[in-house]
Amino acid sequence: MPLSTAHSNPTMNYKRLGRAGLKVSELSFGSWVTYGNQLDTKAAGECMAAAWDMGVNFFDNAEVYANGESERIMGEVLKKLAWPRSSTSSPQVLLGITDGPNGKNTLNRKYLMQAIDGSLGRLQLDHVDLVYCHRADPDTPIEETVWAMHDIIRQGKALYWGTSEWSASEIMAAWQIAERHHLAKPVVEQPQYNLFHRKRVETEYRHLYNDIGMASPPGARWPRAC
């Protein structure tokens, strides 16, 4: 496993994440179903190092992948590779790893505050650069979710937050709440986008890109670079 911290590849392009200042590589590396189920720590490290050598600085994970094992593996790899945090971006998707009324598919304050702590522990990080709320929760007021995400950022556990698989109206509602109360706004939406699912990204979100500078991350779902 290469341990070099050098990170320079002129063939990789980097773009700002919407109107945020964070610059990310056009290609991302995501663990999704592979870590823990198909790749052990050694193989995962080799894949991540290869992506890094090609200029990738955007490494994606989620607490539910392999029931948390994906985060644990990536955390071990990040610790061994010891890349400078100024050169990497570590997005995290909060999907819900536990069952029960405040577990999977919930975005209430209780779940979000516990989930980010659990993810940081498994990743062995003091913060992630970007955290997503996956799918809007119809049983939790959007205002509660926005305030919780703002507090996660204020506490230094994440630098930016975004949504994943939210409708344009739900994203706009969250943005307007944040604007009204001077809270951290969602800066990115991670949608499903491929040859079979194009309408939402190319049509529904169009005014979000123009009006509030919403971004879509590299490797927008599904396939991911890995």
Side-chain angles (χ1 to χ4, degrees):
M1 182 186 302
L3 296 179
S4 171
T5 59
H7 197 230
S8 177
N9 192 313
T11 63
M12 180 60 70
N13 294 321
Y14 301 87
K15 293 184 176 181
R16 288 173 57 199
L17 200 64
R19 292 179 181 172
L22 184 67
K23 291 185 178 181
V24 297
S25 53
E26 285 188 328
L27 295 178
S28 66
F29 181 98
S31 61
W32 196 18
V33 298
T34 54
Y35 281 28
N37 297 319
Q38 300 172 18
L39 298 182
D40 59 13
T41 302
K42 181 177 183 298
E46 291 171 352
C47 289
M48 288 177 62
W52 170 267
D53 289 341
M54 294 303 296
V56 172
N57 75 343
F58 195 92
F59 293 85
D60 182 280
N61 212 318
E63 60 169 347
V64 76
Y65 296 166
N67 199 35
E69 185 64 17
S70 178
E71 289 180 319
R72 285 187 283 270
I73 289 176
M74 186 171 282
E76 287 296 323
V77 172
L78 290 172
K79 183 178 180 180
K80 291 178 181 178
L81 292 174
W83 293 330
R85 286 306 304 272
S86 60
S87 299
T88 61
S89 296
S90 49
Q92 186 60 22
V93 184
L94 296 181
L95 296 169
I97 197 173
T98 57
D99 292 315
N102 295 302
K104 292 181 179 179
N105 302 319
T106 61
L107 291 178
N108 61 45
R109 184 178 184 85
K110 174 180 174 61
Y111 159 67
L112 291 171
M113 303 306 285
Q114 292 175 341
I116 189 64
D117 287 343
S119 288
L120 292 177
R122 289 184 293 273
L123 288 167
Q124 302 186 57
L125 297 173
D126 59 3
H127 74 277
V128 291
D129 298 280
L130 172 64
V131 61
Y132 297 106
C133 289
H134 185 63
R135 290 196 171 89
D137 175 6
D139 294 325
T140 297
I142 290 180
E143 185 169 5
E144 180 177 340
T145 300
V146 172
W147 272 99
M149 298 311 295
H150 172 77
D151 287 342
I152 286 173
I153 291 174
R154 183 176 58 82
Q155 294 170 10
K157 297 176 180 179
L159 303 183
Y160 303 91
W161 79 279
T163 58
S164 179
E165 293 293 316
W166 284 34
S167 69
S169 60
E170 290 165 338
I171 294 170
M172 181 57 76
W175 193 93
Q176 290 174 337
I177 289 169
E179 171 78 3
R180 183 162 60 250
H181 296 287
H182 305 288
L183 307 177
K185 301 180 179 71
V187 300
V188 61
E189 157 63 25
Q190 184 187 59
Q192 180 177 183
Y193 184 48
N194 54 49
L195 290 175
F196 301 102
H197 297 85
R198 298 175 54 182
K199 184 176 180 181
R200 173 167 276 188
V201 171
E202 297 178 6
T203 303
E204 181 182 343
Y205 292 157
R206 185 178 299 274
H207 74 281
L208 298 179
Y209 305 139
N210 297 329
D211 296 345
I212 63 175
M214 181 64 62
S216 288
R221 307 161 85 93
W222 288 113
R224 297 164 182 248
C226 59

